[in-house]
Amino acid sequence: MDRNFSPIFRCNVEDGKLTLRNKELFDKYLLSLRGECEIIVRKWRKRRSTKQNAYYFGVVIPLLCEYFGYTDDEMHEALKIKFLSKEGVKLPTTRSTASLSTIEFEYYIAKIKQWALEENNLLIPEPGQVEY
């Protein structure tokens, strides 16, 4: 069965042995496959939270858009260029904010808020200080 998505199955590794958290679901999924396949195993990291995302797009981005006169998309792209640019590459590119862990995303927002205050005299309120 050809699919446009690949499910992710969480597991634990101890002493070089892999244990699936939901082996029954994994086994059912295997029944839907035929032919050559691949397995990717990588260390799990918690992705940015929906609360972080809501704060970023509901508070940080709108305040900066109002200040700079950008659209939401333009401001988001400008911030990625300023704070998430990949260094040492031949062609300029940025990381996606969707790929950031919760800690990386928190650090990204903190850098934006510090820059907004220090270089633009714009205070961005903390998540608990504003409704969004």
Short mmCIF file of all heavy atoms in Angstrom, two decimals, residues 1-27:
data_model
loop_
_atom_site.label_atom_id
_atom_site.label_comp_id
_atom_site.label_asym_id
_atom_site.label_seq_id
_atom_site.Cartn_x
_atom_site.Cartn_y
_atom_site.Cartn_z
N MET A 1 0.85 -1.17 0.00
CA MET A 1 0.00 0.00 0.00
C MET A 1 0.89 1.24 0.00
O MET A 1 1.72 1.41 0.88
CB MET A 1 -0.90 -0.02 1.24
CG MET A 1 -1.78 1.20 1.36
SD MET A 1 -2.80 1.16 2.84
CE MET A 1 -4.21 0.31 2.19
N ASP A 2 0.75 2.11 -0.99
CA ASP A 2 1.55 3.32 -1.08
C ASP A 2 0.85 4.43 -0.32
O ASP A 2 -0.34 4.68 -0.52
CB ASP A 2 1.72 3.70 -2.56
CG ASP A 2 2.73 4.81 -2.75
OD1 ASP A 2 3.55 5.02 -1.84
OD2 ASP A 2 2.71 5.43 -3.83
N ARG A 3 1.57 5.11 0.56
CA ARG A 3 0.99 6.17 1.39
C ARG A 3 1.78 7.44 1.21
O ARG A 3 2.96 7.42 0.90
CB ARG A 3 1.01 5.76 2.86
CG ARG A 3 0.19 4.53 3.13
CD ARG A 3 0.27 4.19 4.59
NE ARG A 3 -0.33 2.90 4.82
CZ ARG A 3 -1.44 2.72 5.52
NH1 ARG A 3 -2.05 3.72 6.05
NH2 ARG A 3 -1.93 1.52 5.69
N ASN A 4 1.13 8.57 1.47
CA ASN A 4 1.80 9.87 1.40
C ASN A 4 2.39 10.27 2.75
O ASN A 4 2.89 11.36 2.89
CB ASN A 4 0.83 10.94 0.92
CG ASN A 4 0.42 10.73 -0.52
OD1 ASN A 4 1.18 10.17 -1.30
ND2 ASN A 4 -0.77 11.16 -0.87
N PHE A 5 2.28 9.43 3.75
CA PHE A 5 2.79 9.75 5.07
C PHE A 5 3.46 8.51 5.65
O PHE A 5 3.23 7.41 5.19
CB PHE A 5 1.67 10.22 5.99
CG PHE A 5 0.67 9.14 6.30
CD1 PHE A 5 0.84 8.32 7.41
CD2 PHE A 5 -0.42 8.93 5.50
CE1 PHE A 5 -0.06 7.31 7.69
CE2 PHE A 5 -1.34 7.93 5.78
CZ PHE A 5 -1.16 7.12 6.88
N SER A 6 4.27 8.75 6.64
CA SER A 6 4.92 7.65 7.35
C SER A 6 4.61 7.80 8.83
O SER A 6 4.98 8.80 9.44
CB SER A 6 6.43 7.70 7.14
OG SER A 6 6.75 7.53 5.79
N PRO A 7 3.93 6.82 9.41
CA PRO A 7 3.64 6.93 10.84
C PRO A 7 4.92 6.84 11.65
O PRO A 7 5.92 6.27 11.21
CB PRO A 7 2.73 5.73 11.11
CG PRO A 7 3.04 4.77 10.03
CD PRO A 7 3.45 5.58 8.84
N ILE A 8 4.90 7.41 12.82
CA ILE A 8 6.05 7.37 13.72
C ILE A 8 5.68 6.49 14.90
O ILE A 8 4.64 6.68 15.53
CB ILE A 8 6.43 8.79 14.20
CG1 ILE A 8 6.87 9.62 13.00
CG2 ILE A 8 7.49 8.73 15.28
CD1 ILE A 8 7.10 11.08 13.32
N PHE A 9 6.53 5.53 15.19
CA PHE A 9 6.31 4.63 16.31
C PHE A 9 7.39 4.90 17.35
O PHE A 9 8.58 4.82 17.04
CB PHE A 9 6.37 3.16 15.85
CG PHE A 9 5.28 2.80 14.89
CD1 PHE A 9 5.50 2.84 13.52
CD2 PHE A 9 4.02 2.45 15.34
CE1 PHE A 9 4.50 2.53 12.63
CE2 PHE A 9 3.00 2.13 14.45
CZ PHE A 9 3.25 2.18 13.09
N ARG A 10 6.99 5.25 18.55
CA ARG A 10 7.94 5.54 19.63
C ARG A 10 8.48 4.23 20.20
O ARG A 10 7.80 3.21 20.23
CB ARG A 10 7.26 6.35 20.73
CG ARG A 10 6.71 7.70 20.30
CD ARG A 10 7.66 8.86 20.47
NE ARG A 10 8.28 8.96 21.77
CZ ARG A 10 7.76 9.61 22.80
NH1 ARG A 10 6.61 10.24 22.70
NH2 ARG A 10 8.40 9.66 23.94
N CYS A 11 9.71 4.30 20.68
CA CYS A 11 10.35 3.12 21.24
C CYS A 11 11.35 3.54 22.31
O CYS A 11 11.61 4.72 22.50
CB CYS A 11 11.06 2.32 20.14
SG CYS A 11 12.40 3.22 19.35
N ASN A 12 11.88 2.56 23.00
CA ASN A 12 12.96 2.77 23.96
C ASN A 12 14.11 1.86 23.54
O ASN A 12 13.89 0.78 23.01
CB ASN A 12 12.53 2.40 25.39
CG ASN A 12 11.52 3.37 25.93
OD1 ASN A 12 11.65 4.58 25.77
ND2 ASN A 12 10.49 2.85 26.59
N VAL A 13 15.33 2.32 23.80
CA VAL A 13 16.52 1.50 23.54
C VAL A 13 17.30 1.38 24.84
O VAL A 13 17.65 2.38 25.45
CB VAL A 13 17.40 2.10 22.43
CG1 VAL A 13 18.67 1.28 22.25
CG2 VAL A 13 16.64 2.21 21.12
N GLU A 14 17.53 0.16 25.28
CA GLU A 14 18.32 -0.13 26.48
C GLU A 14 19.28 -1.26 26.14
O GLU A 14 18.85 -2.28 25.58
CB GLU A 14 17.42 -0.56 27.65
CG GLU A 14 16.50 0.52 28.18
CD GLU A 14 17.23 1.67 28.85
OE1 GLU A 14 18.32 1.44 29.39
OE2 GLU A 14 16.71 2.80 28.80
N ASP A 15 20.53 -1.06 26.44
CA ASP A 15 21.56 -2.08 26.20
C ASP A 15 21.54 -2.58 24.76
O ASP A 15 21.68 -3.78 24.51
CB ASP A 15 21.40 -3.25 27.18
CG ASP A 15 21.55 -2.82 28.63
OD1 ASP A 15 22.41 -1.96 28.90
OD2 ASP A 15 20.81 -3.34 29.48
N GLY A 16 21.31 -1.67 23.82
CA GLY A 16 21.34 -2.05 22.41
C GLY A 16 20.10 -2.78 21.92
O GLY A 16 20.07 -3.25 20.79
N LYS A 17 19.07 -2.87 22.74
CA LYS A 17 17.85 -3.56 22.35
C LYS A 17 16.70 -2.57 22.25
O LYS A 17 16.49 -1.76 23.14
CB LYS A 17 17.49 -4.66 23.35
CG LYS A 17 18.53 -5.77 23.40
CD LYS A 17 18.01 -6.94 24.18
CE LYS A 17 19.07 -7.94 24.46
NZ LYS A 17 19.42 -8.80 23.40
N LEU A 18 15.96 -2.64 21.15
CA LEU A 18 14.85 -1.74 20.87
C LEU A 18 13.54 -2.38 21.32
O LEU A 18 13.27 -3.55 21.01
CB LEU A 18 14.80 -1.47 19.37
CG LEU A 18 13.73 -0.50 18.89
CD1 LEU A 18 14.34 0.43 17.85
CD2 LEU A 18 12.57 -1.25 18.28
N THR A 19 12.73 -1.63 22.07
CA THR A 19 11.42 -2.08 22.51
C THR A 19 10.39 -1.07 22.05
O THR A 19 10.47 0.11 22.41
CB THR A 19 11.35 -2.20 24.05
OG1 THR A 19 12.40 -3.05 24.49
CG2 THR A 19 10.01 -2.76 24.49
N LEU A 20 9.43 -1.50 21.24
CA LEU A 20 8.37 -0.62 20.76
C LEU A 20 7.37 -0.35 21.87
O LEU A 20 7.03 -1.24 22.64
CB LEU A 20 7.65 -1.26 19.56
CG LEU A 20 8.49 -1.34 18.30
CD1 LEU A 20 7.90 -2.38 17.35
CD2 LEU A 20 8.57 0.00 17.63
N ARG A 21 6.85 0.86 21.92
CA ARG A 21 5.86 1.20 22.94
C ARG A 21 4.49 0.63 22.60
O ARG A 21 3.72 0.32 23.49
CB ARG A 21 5.76 2.72 23.09
CG ARG A 21 7.00 3.29 23.73
CD ARG A 21 6.71 4.61 24.33
NE ARG A 21 7.91 5.13 24.95
CZ ARG A 21 8.01 6.36 25.37
NH1 ARG A 21 6.99 7.19 25.24
NH2 ARG A 21 9.11 6.78 25.94
N ASN A 22 4.17 0.53 21.30
CA ASN A 22 2.89 -0.04 20.89
C ASN A 22 3.15 -1.06 19.78
O ASN A 22 2.93 -0.79 18.60
CB ASN A 22 1.94 1.05 20.42
CG ASN A 22 0.53 0.54 20.24
OD1 ASN A 22 0.31 -0.64 20.03
ND2 ASN A 22 -0.43 1.45 20.30
N LYS A 23 3.64 -2.23 20.18
CA LYS A 23 4.03 -3.25 19.21
C LYS A 23 2.84 -3.75 18.39
O LYS A 23 2.98 -4.04 17.20
CB LYS A 23 4.72 -4.43 19.91
CG LYS A 23 5.28 -5.45 18.93
CD LYS A 23 6.15 -6.45 19.59
CE LYS A 23 6.70 -7.52 18.68
NZ LYS A 23 6.25 -7.63 17.35
N GLU A 24 1.67 -3.83 19.00
CA GLU A 24 0.49 -4.31 18.27
C GLU A 24 0.16 -3.38 17.09
O GLU A 24 -0.11 -3.85 15.98
CB GLU A 24 -0.72 -4.41 19.20
CG GLU A 24 -0.60 -5.52 20.22
CD GLU A 24 -1.75 -5.50 21.22
OE1 GLU A 24 -2.80 -4.87 20.94
OE2 GLU A 24 -1.58 -6.13 22.27
N LEU A 25 0.19 -2.08 17.31
CA LEU A 25 -0.09 -1.12 16.24
C LEU A 25 0.99 -1.20 15.16
O LEU A 25 0.70 -1.15 13.97
CB LEU A 25 -0.18 0.30 16.81
CG LEU A 25 -0.61 1.39 15.84
CD1 LEU A 25 -1.99 1.11 15.28
CD2 LEU A 25 -0.59 2.74 16.55
N PHE A 26 2.24 -1.33 15.58
CA PHE A 26 3.35 -1.48 14.64
C PHE A 26 3.15 -2.72 13.77
O PHE A 26 3.30 -2.68 12.55
CB PHE A 26 4.68 -1.56 15.41
CG PHE A 26 5.89 -1.71 14.53
CD1 PHE A 26 6.39 -0.62 13.82
CD2 PHE A 26 6.52 -2.93 14.41
CE1 PHE A 26 7.51 -0.76 13.01
CE2 PHE A 26 7.64 -3.07 13.60
CZ PHE A 26 8.14 -1.98 12.91
N ASP A 27 2.80 -3.84 14.40
CA ASP A 27 2.58 -5.09 13.66
C ASP A 27 1.42 -4.95 12.66
O ASP A 27 1.50 -5.43 11.53
CB ASP A 27 2.29 -6.24 14.61
CG ASP A 27 3.53 -6.67 15.41
OD1 ASP A 27 4.66 -6.32 14.98
OD2 ASP A 27 3.37 -7.33 16.45
#
